[in-house]
Amino acid sequence: MSTTAVTAPRRNYRGRFAPSPSGPLHFGSLVAAVGSYLDAKSNQGSWLVRIEDIDTTRVVEGAAKDILTTLEAYGLYWDEQVVYQTKRHDLYAHTLDKLNNQQLIYACHCSRKQIKALGGIYQAHCRHLNHSQAHSALRLIQQHPICQYHDLIQGQVSVTRDLAHEDYLIKRSDGLFAYQLVVVADDIEQGITHVVRGADLLEPTARQLSLFKQLDSAAPQYAHLPLAVAKPGFKLSKQNYAPAIVKDNPKPALLSAFEFLGLAPQPELVELSIDKMLNWAIDNYNLESVPNVAEIQISQNSHSQSPLFTHLNK
């Protein structure tokens, strides 16, 4: 089956913001936080925070705490206890065992360099070689390839057939659980019904939808926000040293995040308290007003100034 329309059944809205603690929040991550928060609260739902620290090689000491204090400075208070992936290994091991019992996992000894040399898509080279799973990378035999799905912002999303059919990693050779496995296990366990996040995850979503099917679980509805980019194809990220948003004067960046998400705040809104600014945004937020583009190019002259939007990119 190449197309999916599987979504979570109607129930209480449960959304989440799931940053990785590889550095402080920047404007792009603020947009994701505010967008997911407004969508949850405008639907009278719960908004959870999950710290995606499963890849311990990328974790920066103190970043998780800094992220949480930044969210609080911007008035973005979460419902329920914060979840840390590094404390949920039993959940991921149970999910891995479930797939293993279905005989859908095999060990792979191929390196990234080898796969890249063959075009970047893994060709199931190790599927029938019966390598020991000990100290090996583990791949999932793809049973439910998803080539197309509907996104609430971006519309119809297509991925290549090769990507949809690829046997992807679910556990790394260094013993760390892979993102694709843990994010689905987390969303199932937390009962997430809606995922609002950046458009850089449009392709991985197809794999996640296939894993929800394999685990016989209803998938959330997805809405992928435009990425804030410094130039076309160059998103703001911690890896390219995007400036951190400030905690001591959050209102200008918050106002810019509202504008980025399709709201039309008046400049005097910044004179209100943070709580009143957010209440205004909740009352006026509409997912259909979010630009259905993959990128929005911005310029940002300093750490303390709010960004200026220059143009949109589809």
Side-chain angles (χ1 to χ4, degrees):
M1 184 176 181
S2 62
T3 305
T4 184
V6 177
T7 56
R10 288 185 178 272
R11 59 185 188 271
N12 293 337
Y13 185 115
R14 289 176 64 81
R16 45 79 162 181
F17 174 57
S20 59
S22 54
L25 296 184
H26 51 77
F27 181 73
S29 44
L30 176 65
V31 166
V34 172
S36 59
Y37 178 88
L38 294 182
D39 201 61
K41 295 306 176 181
S42 64
N43 285 285
Q44 295 79 50
S46 298
W47 185 68
L48 312 184
V49 171
R50 177 195 308 154
I51 300 297
E52 294 195 335
D53 57 352
I54 195 66
D55 187 352
T56 53
T57 65
R58 296 179 59 239
V59 171
V60 173
E61 185 177 357
K65 182 178 179 180
D66 182 72
I67 287 170
L68 297 178
T69 56
T70 302
L71 291 175
E72 290 175 330
Y74 282 75
L76 302 173
Y77 294 98
W78 50 92
D79 303 301
E80 303 180 13
Q81 188 173 0
V82 174
V83 162
Y84 294 81
Q85 288 181 331
T86 48
K87 297 180 180 180
R88 294 162 70 82
H89 284 91
D90 287 348
L91 170 65
Y92 309 141
H94 175 76
T95 305
L96 193 72
D97 287 344
K98 183 175 181 178
L99 296 169
N100 218 3
N101 291 337
Q102 296 173 3
Q103 298 183 327
L104 293 176
I105 293 175
Y106 63 92
C108 174
H109 290 178
C110 298
S111 67
R112 288 185 179 182
K113 184 177 180 180
Q114 290 172 320
I115 297 169
K116 186 177 180 179
L118 294 172
I121 296 291
Y122 181 68
Q123 304 296 329
H125 174 75
C126 296
R127 185 187 287 184
H128 302 296
L129 297 183
N130 297 316
H131 294 309
S132 169
Q133 290 192 12
H135 310 296
S136 298
L138 301 181
R139 291 185 179 271
L140 177 69
I141 299 175
Q142 180 59 271
Q143 299 287 290
H144 302 284
I146 302 296
C147 293
Q148 292 182 327
Y149 67 92
H150 180 75
D151 185 82
L152 295 176
I153 295 174
Q154 303 295 332
Q156 191 78 350
V157 176
S158 299
V159 300
T160 65
R161 185 184 186 280
D162 287 345
L163 182 68
H165 285 77
E166 184 181 29
D167 293 348
Y168 56 86
L169 284 177
I170 55 175
K171 193 173 186 182
R172 298 172 9 177
S173 59
D174 60 7
L176 295 178
F177 292 102
Y179 170 75
Q180 303 290 4
L181 177 80
V182 301
V183 70
V184 171
D186 285 333
D187 284 344
I188 292 172
E189 192 276 335
Q190 291 189 287
I192 299 301
T193 63
H194 293 74
V195 174
V196 180
R197 59 187 182 184
D200 54 328
L201 292 170
L202 282 168
E203 283 192 345
T205 296
R207 285 180 170 169
Q208 291 159 33
L209 285 166
S210 72
L211 186 52
F212 277 107
K213 279 196 168 189
Q214 188 59 55
L215 295 171
D216 196 26
S217 296
Q221 292 185 328
Y222 289 92
H224 285 88
L225 303 167
L227 294 178
V229 299
K231 58 183 179 180
F234 192 79
K235 73 167 185 171
L236 298 182
S237 71
K238 299 162 188 172
Q239 286 68 41
N240 60 35
Y241 308 106
I245 54 174
V246 299
K247 302 185 190 70
D248 57 353
N249 184 28
K251 292 181 182 181
L254 190 60
L255 197 68
S256 291
F258 293 166
E259 295 178 30
F260 191 99
L261 293 166
L263 292 165
Q266 296 297 315
E268 55 268 23
L269 187 68
V270 79
E271 298 174 7
L272 301 179
S273 67
I274 293 289
D275 286 348
K276 289 183 177 180
M277 289 179 68
L278 286 169
N279 286 337
W280 175 89
I282 292 168
D283 290 341
N284 289 274
Y285 177 80
N286 186 339
L287 193 65
E288 294 180 358
S289 298
V290 178
N292 64 334
V293 294
E295 299 178 347
I296 298 179
Q297 186 170 334
I298 68 172
S299 61
Q300 190 163 8
N301 298 322
S302 75
H303 290 206
S304 61
Q305 290 178 326
S306 56
L308 304 173
F309 313 140
T310 54
H311 61 266
L312 308 179
N313 300 301
K314 185 64 177 175

mmCIF file of all heavy atoms in Angstrom, residues 22-30 66 228-231 234-246 298-305 307:
data_model
loop_
_atom_site.group_PDB
_atom_site.id
_atom_site.type_symbol
_atom_site.label_atom_id
_atom_site.label_comp_id
_atom_site.label_asym_id
_atom_site.label_seq_id
_atom_site.Cartn_x
_atom_site.Cartn_y
_atom_site.Cartn_z
ATOM 1 N N SER A 22 20.685 19.681 22.321
ATOM 2 C CA SER A 22 22.001 19.840 21.699
ATOM 3 C C SER A 22 22.434 21.304 21.694
ATOM 4 O O SER A 22 23.442 21.646 21.072
ATOM 5 C CB SER A 22 21.982 19.289 20.270
ATOM 6 O OG SER A 22 20.943 19.871 19.505
ATOM 7 N N GLY A 23 21.667 22.146 22.366
ATOM 8 C CA GLY A 23 21.973 23.570 22.441
ATOM 9 C C GLY A 23 20.730 24.344 22.831
ATOM 10 O O GLY A 23 19.649 23.772 23.010
ATOM 11 N N PRO A 24 20.845 25.667 22.959
ATOM 12 C CA PRO A 24 19.700 26.494 23.356
ATOM 13 C C PRO A 24 18.675 26.623 22.237
ATOM 14 O O PRO A 24 18.979 26.362 21.061
ATOM 15 C CB PRO A 24 20.340 27.848 23.680
ATOM 16 C CG PRO A 24 21.568 27.879 22.829
ATOM 17 C CD PRO A 24 22.081 26.466 22.777
ATOM 18 N N LEU A 25 17.464 27.022 22.588
ATOM 19 C CA LEU A 25 16.435 27.263 21.591
ATOM 20 C C LEU A 25 16.786 28.489 20.750
ATOM 21 O O LEU A 25 17.252 29.497 21.271
ATOM 22 C CB LEU A 25 15.076 27.481 22.263
ATOM 23 C CG LEU A 25 14.473 26.310 23.049
ATOM 24 C CD1 LEU A 25 13.090 26.685 23.569
ATOM 25 C CD2 LEU A 25 14.393 25.044 22.205
ATOM 26 N N HIS A 26 16.557 28.385 19.450
ATOM 27 C CA HIS A 26 16.725 29.513 18.532
ATOM 28 C C HIS A 26 15.346 29.866 17.970
ATOM 29 O O HIS A 26 14.333 29.261 18.364
ATOM 30 C CB HIS A 26 17.714 29.161 17.418
ATOM 31 C CG HIS A 26 17.396 27.870 16.720
ATOM 32 N ND1 HIS A 26 16.393 27.745 15.774
ATOM 33 C CD2 HIS A 26 17.931 26.637 16.855
ATOM 34 C CE1 HIS A 26 16.326 26.502 15.355
ATOM 35 N NE2 HIS A 26 17.237 25.801 15.992
ATOM 36 N N PHE A 27 15.294 30.828 17.054
ATOM 37 C CA PHE A 27 13.983 31.276 16.583
ATOM 38 C C PHE A 27 13.216 30.153 15.883
ATOM 39 O O PHE A 27 11.991 30.041 16.037
ATOM 40 C CB PHE A 27 14.117 32.474 15.637
ATOM 41 C CG PHE A 27 12.786 32.981 15.147
ATOM 42 C CD1 PHE A 27 11.946 33.680 16.000
ATOM 43 C CD2 PHE A 27 12.359 32.741 13.849
ATOM 44 C CE1 PHE A 27 10.700 34.133 15.578
ATOM 45 C CE2 PHE A 27 11.124 33.197 13.404
ATOM 46 C CZ PHE A 27 10.293 33.891 14.273
ATOM 47 N N GLY A 28 13.900 29.307 15.124
ATOM 48 C CA GLY A 28 13.212 28.203 14.457
ATOM 49 C C GLY A 28 12.560 27.255 15.433
ATOM 50 O O GLY A 28 11.428 26.796 15.221
ATOM 51 N N SER A 29 13.252 26.939 16.530
ATOM 52 C CA SER A 29 12.665 26.048 17.530
ATOM 53 C C SER A 29 11.571 26.753 18.321
ATOM 54 O O SER A 29 10.605 26.119 18.765
ATOM 55 C CB SER A 29 13.741 25.479 18.455
ATOM 56 O OG SER A 29 14.658 26.446 18.874
ATOM 57 N N LEU A 30 11.677 28.086 18.474
ATOM 58 C CA LEU A 30 10.590 28.834 19.109
ATOM 59 C C LEU A 30 9.322 28.735 18.276
ATOM 60 O O LEU A 30 8.220 28.554 18.824
ATOM 61 C CB LEU A 30 10.988 30.298 19.294
ATOM 62 C CG LEU A 30 9.894 31.204 19.869
ATOM 63 C CD1 LEU A 30 9.536 30.807 21.297
ATOM 64 C CD2 LEU A 30 10.309 32.674 19.818
ATOM 65 N N ASP A 66 18.195 24.498 30.231
ATOM 66 C CA ASP A 66 18.101 25.804 29.588
ATOM 67 C C ASP A 66 16.870 25.886 28.694
ATOM 68 O O ASP A 66 16.184 26.915 28.654
ATOM 69 C CB ASP A 66 19.363 26.073 28.770
ATOM 70 C CG ASP A 66 19.343 27.446 28.115
ATOM 71 O OD1 ASP A 66 19.481 28.448 28.835
ATOM 72 O OD2 ASP A 66 19.158 27.514 26.881
ATOM 73 N N ALA A 228 12.172 28.138 9.379
ATOM 74 C CA ALA A 228 12.840 29.435 9.332
ATOM 75 C C ALA A 228 14.239 29.206 8.778
ATOM 76 O O ALA A 228 15.023 28.433 9.343
ATOM 77 C CB ALA A 228 12.909 30.046 10.724
ATOM 78 N N VAL A 229 14.543 29.834 7.651
ATOM 79 C CA VAL A 229 15.838 29.617 7.003
ATOM 80 C C VAL A 229 16.579 30.934 6.843
ATOM 81 O O VAL A 229 15.979 31.989 6.624
ATOM 82 C CB VAL A 229 15.679 28.930 5.624
ATOM 83 C CG1 VAL A 229 15.023 27.560 5.780
ATOM 84 C CG2 VAL A 229 14.860 29.787 4.669
ATOM 85 N N ALA A 230 17.914 30.866 6.946
ATOM 86 C CA ALA A 230 18.755 32.040 6.738
ATOM 87 C C ALA A 230 18.919 32.323 5.248
ATOM 88 O O ALA A 230 19.053 33.465 4.831
ATOM 89 C CB ALA A 230 20.113 31.837 7.385
ATOM 90 N N LYS A 231 18.891 31.251 4.447
ATOM 91 C CA LYS A 231 18.886 31.343 2.993
ATOM 92 C C LYS A 231 18.249 30.063 2.494
ATOM 93 O O LYS A 231 18.142 29.079 3.251
ATOM 94 C CB LYS A 231 20.293 31.528 2.435
ATOM 95 C CG LYS A 231 21.273 30.427 2.793
ATOM 96 C CD LYS A 231 22.667 30.744 2.255
ATOM 97 C CE LYS A 231 23.654 29.642 2.635
ATOM 98 N NZ LYS A 231 25.023 29.937 2.125
ATOM 99 N N PHE A 234 18.857 26.390 3.903
ATOM 100 C CA PHE A 234 19.794 26.495 5.021
ATOM 101 C C PHE A 234 19.012 26.896 6.256
ATOM 102 O O PHE A 234 18.890 28.066 6.590
ATOM 103 C CB PHE A 234 20.876 27.534 4.699
ATOM 104 C CG PHE A 234 22.045 27.513 5.651
ATOM 105 C CD1 PHE A 234 23.045 26.567 5.532
ATOM 106 C CD2 PHE A 234 22.149 28.459 6.659
ATOM 107 C CE1 PHE A 234 24.134 26.554 6.400
ATOM 108 C CE2 PHE A 234 23.227 28.461 7.538
ATOM 109 C CZ PHE A 234 24.221 27.495 7.402
ATOM 110 N N LYS A 235 18.462 25.890 6.953
ATOM 111 C CA LYS A 235 17.582 26.190 8.073
ATOM 112 C C LYS A 235 18.361 26.662 9.290
ATOM 113 O O LYS A 235 19.533 26.330 9.477
ATOM 114 C CB LYS A 235 16.746 24.962 8.442
ATOM 115 C CG LYS A 235 17.522 23.859 9.149
ATOM 116 C CD LYS A 235 16.558 22.848 9.759
ATOM 117 C CE LYS A 235 17.324 21.809 10.586
ATOM 118 N NZ LYS A 235 16.435 20.940 11.361
ATOM 119 N N LEU A 236 17.676 27.461 10.110
ATOM 120 C CA LEU A 236 18.248 27.824 11.394
ATOM 121 C C LEU A 236 18.321 26.558 12.248
ATOM 122 O O LEU A 236 17.345 25.833 12.371
ATOM 123 C CB LEU A 236 17.377 28.862 12.106
ATOM 124 C CG LEU A 236 17.174 30.213 11.418
ATOM 125 C CD1 LEU A 236 16.334 31.110 12.305
ATOM 126 C CD2 LEU A 236 18.495 30.871 11.083
ATOM 127 N N SER A 237 19.488 26.304 12.823
ATOM 128 C CA SER A 237 19.635 25.121 13.660
ATOM 129 C C SER A 237 20.775 25.330 14.630
ATOM 130 O O SER A 237 21.611 26.219 14.469
ATOM 131 C CB SER A 237 19.910 23.873 12.800
ATOM 132 O OG SER A 237 21.216 23.923 12.251
ATOM 133 N N LYS A 238 20.800 24.473 15.646
ATOM 134 C CA LYS A 238 21.888 24.542 16.612
ATOM 135 C C LYS A 238 23.214 24.167 15.952
ATOM 136 O O LYS A 238 24.266 24.677 16.325
ATOM 137 C CB LYS A 238 21.580 23.600 17.781
ATOM 138 C CG LYS A 238 20.294 23.966 18.517
ATOM 139 C CD LYS A 238 19.790 22.806 19.359
ATOM 140 C CE LYS A 238 18.407 23.104 19.930
ATOM 141 N NZ LYS A 238 17.802 21.941 20.593
ATOM 142 N N GLN A 239 23.132 23.262 14.959
ATOM 143 C CA GLN A 239 24.354 22.802 14.312
ATOM 144 C C GLN A 239 25.037 23.910 13.505
ATOM 145 O O GLN A 239 26.249 23.889 13.333
ATOM 146 C CB GLN A 239 24.054 21.598 13.406
ATOM 147 C CG GLN A 239 23.786 20.301 14.150
ATOM 148 C CD GLN A 239 22.482 20.317 14.931
ATOM 149 O OE1 GLN A 239 21.478 20.818 14.432
ATOM 150 N NE2 GLN A 239 22.505 19.787 16.143
ATOM 151 N N ASN A 240 24.249 24.848 12.962
ATOM 152 C CA ASN A 240 24.889 25.943 12.208
ATOM 153 C C ASN A 240 24.904 27.249 13.014
ATOM 154 O O ASN A 240 24.958 28.325 12.449
ATOM 155 C CB ASN A 240 24.230 26.133 10.829
ATOM 156 C CG ASN A 240 22.751 26.465 10.920
ATOM 157 O OD1 ASN A 240 22.320 27.160 11.837
ATOM 158 N ND2 ASN A 240 21.967 25.976 9.966
ATOM 159 N N TYR A 241 24.848 27.078 14.354
ATOM 160 C CA TYR A 241 25.078 28.190 15.281
ATOM 161 C C TYR A 241 24.051 29.319 15.136
ATOM 162 O O TYR A 241 24.384 30.500 15.223
ATOM 163 C CB TYR A 241 26.501 28.738 15.117
ATOM 164 C CG TYR A 241 27.555 27.667 15.207
ATOM 165 C CD1 TYR A 241 28.225 27.214 14.076
ATOM 166 C CD2 TYR A 241 27.853 27.081 16.434
ATOM 167 C CE1 TYR A 241 29.180 26.199 14.164
ATOM 168 C CE2 TYR A 241 28.800 26.076 16.535
ATOM 169 C CZ TYR A 241 29.461 25.641 15.394
ATOM 170 O OH TYR A 241 30.396 24.636 15.486
ATOM 171 N N ALA A 242 22.787 28.946 14.945
ATOM 172 C CA ALA A 242 21.732 29.955 14.976
ATOM 173 C C ALA A 242 21.726 30.604 16.357
ATOM 174 O O ALA A 242 21.896 29.925 17.376
ATOM 175 C CB ALA A 242 20.375 29.301 14.694
ATOM 176 N N PRO A 243 21.551 31.919 16.421
ATOM 177 C CA PRO A 243 21.608 32.589 17.725
ATOM 178 C C PRO A 243 20.472 32.159 18.642
ATOM 179 O O PRO A 243 19.342 31.939 18.209
ATOM 180 C CB PRO A 243 21.489 34.078 17.361
ATOM 181 C CG PRO A 243 20.848 34.096 16.014
ATOM 182 C CD PRO A 243 21.323 32.864 15.316
ATOM 183 N N ALA A 244 20.799 32.024 19.910
ATOM 184 C CA ALA A 244 19.797 31.642 20.898
ATOM 185 C C ALA A 244 18.810 32.782 21.109
ATOM 186 O O ALA A 244 19.173 33.955 21.050
ATOM 187 C CB ALA A 244 20.480 31.298 22.217
ATOM 188 N N ILE A 245 17.550 32.436 21.340
ATOM 189 C CA ILE A 245 16.575 33.457 21.701
ATOM 190 C C ILE A 245 16.826 33.863 23.155
ATOM 191 O O ILE A 245 17.279 33.067 23.965
ATOM 192 C CB ILE A 245 15.126 32.963 21.511
ATOM 193 C CG1 ILE A 245 14.887 31.648 22.265
ATOM 194 C CG2 ILE A 245 14.796 32.820 20.041
ATOM 195 C CD1 ILE A 245 13.453 31.181 22.241
ATOM 196 N N VAL A 246 16.552 35.138 23.453
ATOM 197 C CA VAL A 246 16.856 35.655 24.782
ATOM 198 C C VAL A 246 15.719 35.362 25.749
ATOM 199 O O VAL A 246 14.559 35.212 25.353
ATOM 200 C CB VAL A 246 17.121 37.175 24.725
ATOM 201 C CG1 VAL A 246 18.325 37.466 23.836
ATOM 202 C CG2 VAL A 246 15.893 37.926 24.224
ATOM 203 N N ILE A 298 14.341 34.426 6.590
ATOM 204 C CA ILE A 298 14.347 35.527 7.532
ATOM 205 C C ILE A 298 15.747 36.138 7.588
ATOM 206 O O ILE A 298 16.727 35.537 7.138
ATOM 207 C CB ILE A 298 13.928 35.092 8.951
ATOM 208 C CG1 ILE A 298 15.002 34.174 9.565
ATOM 209 C CG2 ILE A 298 12.582 34.390 8.936
ATOM 210 C CD1 ILE A 298 14.766 33.868 11.025
ATOM 211 N N SER A 299 15.820 37.320 8.128
ATOM 212 C CA SER A 299 17.106 37.928 8.447
ATOM 213 C C SER A 299 17.076 38.305 9.913
ATOM 214 O O SER A 299 16.032 38.652 10.455
ATOM 215 C CB SER A 299 17.361 39.175 7.588
ATOM 216 O OG SER A 299 16.363 40.150 7.815
ATOM 217 N N GLN A 300 18.206 38.190 10.544
ATOM 218 C CA GLN A 300 18.279 38.462 11.977
ATOM 219 C C GLN A 300 19.619 39.124 12.247
ATOM 220 O O GLN A 300 20.678 38.529 12.063
ATOM 221 C CB GLN A 300 18.152 37.166 12.779
ATOM 222 C CG GLN A 300 17.979 37.400 14.262
ATOM 223 C CD GLN A 300 17.452 36.152 14.955
ATOM 224 O OE1 GLN A 300 17.361 35.100 14.384
ATOM 225 N NE2 GLN A 300 17.091 36.303 16.212
ATOM 226 N N ASN A 301 19.592 40.381 12.673
ATOM 227 C CA ASN A 301 20.810 41.160 12.780
ATOM 228 C C ASN A 301 21.545 40.995 14.096
ATOM 229 O O ASN A 301 22.733 41.254 14.181
ATOM 230 C CB ASN A 301 20.498 42.651 12.563
ATOM 231 C CG ASN A 301 19.948 42.909 11.170
ATOM 232 O OD1 ASN A 301 20.389 42.293 10.208
ATOM 233 N ND2 ASN A 301 18.980 43.807 11.075
ATOM 234 N N SER A 302 20.820 40.585 15.123
ATOM 235 C CA SER A 302 21.499 40.397 16.406
ATOM 236 C C SER A 302 20.716 39.417 17.242
ATOM 237 O O SER A 302 19.602 39.034 16.906
ATOM 238 C CB SER A 302 21.615 41.725 17.158
ATOM 239 O OG SER A 302 20.365 42.094 17.704
ATOM 240 N N HIS A 303 21.297 39.014 18.350
ATOM 241 C CA HIS A 303 20.648 38.051 19.222
ATOM 242 C C HIS A 303 19.390 38.621 19.859
ATOM 243 O O HIS A 303 18.485 37.886 20.218
ATOM 244 C CB HIS A 303 21.614 37.608 20.331
ATOM 245 C CG HIS A 303 22.734 36.766 19.805
ATOM 246 N ND1 HIS A 303 23.394 35.846 20.583
ATOM 247 C CD2 HIS A 303 23.317 36.682 18.581
ATOM 248 C CE1 HIS A 303 24.339 35.249 19.880
ATOM 249 N NE2 HIS A 303 24.311 35.734 18.666
ATOM 250 N N SER A 304 19.300 39.898 20.012
ATOM 251 C CA SER A 304 18.197 40.482 20.765
ATOM 252 C C SER A 304 17.077 41.007 19.879
ATOM 253 O O SER A 304 16.011 41.319 20.365
ATOM 254 C CB SER A 304 18.712 41.626 21.648
ATOM 255 O OG SER A 304 19.272 42.643 20.843
ATOM 256 N N GLN A 305 17.328 41.104 18.594
ATOM 257 C CA GLN A 305 16.306 41.643 17.698
ATOM 258 C C GLN A 305 15.429 40.513 17.164
ATOM 259 O O GLN A 305 15.891 39.405 16.924
ATOM 260 C CB GLN A 305 16.958 42.375 16.535
ATOM 261 C CG GLN A 305 17.640 43.679 16.945
ATOM 262 C CD GLN A 305 18.315 44.330 15.758
ATOM 263 O OE1 GLN A 305 18.828 43.673 14.878
ATOM 264 N NE2 GLN A 305 18.298 45.653 15.744
ATOM 265 N N PRO A 307 13.366 38.575 14.258
ATOM 266 C CA PRO A 307 13.712 38.413 12.854
ATOM 267 C C PRO A 307 12.757 39.156 11.923
ATOM 268 O O PRO A 307 11.606 39.429 12.248
ATOM 269 C CB PRO A 307 13.620 36.898 12.641
ATOM 270 C CG PRO A 307 12.828 36.383 13.773
ATOM 271 C CD PRO A 307 12.895 37.366 14.886
#
